[in-house]
Amino acid sequence: MSLFISDAVASAGAPAQGSPYSLVIMLVVFGLIFYFMILRPQQKRAKDHKNLMSSISKGDEVLTNGGLVGRVSKVSDTGYIVIALNDTTEVTIKRDFVAAVLPKGTMKAL
């Protein structure tokens, strides 16, 4: 009991105490939002890209990350593929740098 401040005024300025579980619930909700908005889609894209890399075979027409379009002429077990850009030019690239497998006949349409 202070002489200058009454008890009612002193207690009004104090912050209200919330439930001790509210912080835990809020962190769990933010964790779920982070998982479903960021981590899960990224894992799905990585899985789809890995399936794409394993499905590349000789004769497929592919688009690389660098923008090259060509036909796969050789697939090695070491992770590299040889792409024929035209009848005379072949390029060896790492399998991971294939962006997409194109439908058959795409090179003729270009």
Side-chain angles (χ1 to χ4, degrees), residues 16-107:
Q17 292 292 324
S19 170
Y21 298 112
S22 65
L23 178 64
V24 174
I25 291 171
M26 187 171 43
L27 287 174
V28 168
V29 168
F30 283 135
L32 288 173
I33 290 171
F34 180 77
Y35 175 76
F36 284 109
M37 296 293 286
I38 297 172
L39 289 179
R40 191 165 179 242
Q42 183 178 0
Q43 290 172 345
K44 186 178 179 192
R45 276 192 306 265
K47 182 181 175 185
D48 290 342
H49 191 258
K50 187 175 180 181
N51 289 338
L52 175 71
M53 296 303 103
S54 64
S55 69
I56 293 174
S57 62
K58 184 177 178 180
D60 287 344
E61 294 180 4
V62 294
L63 172 68
T64 66
N65 287 339
L68 299 175
V69 176
R71 182 172 285 113
V72 177
S73 60
K74 182 181 175 186
V75 178
S76 67
D77 293 335
T78 60
Y80 290 92
I81 60 175
V82 177
I83 298 176
L85 301 177
N86 55 26
D87 294 335
T88 59
T89 308
E90 288 187 343
V91 177
T92 303
I93 65 166
K94 192 149 177 68
R95 186 185 288 222
D96 298 336
F97 292 106
V98 172
V101 176
L102 303 173
K104 301 283 183 188
T106 303
M107 287 180 63

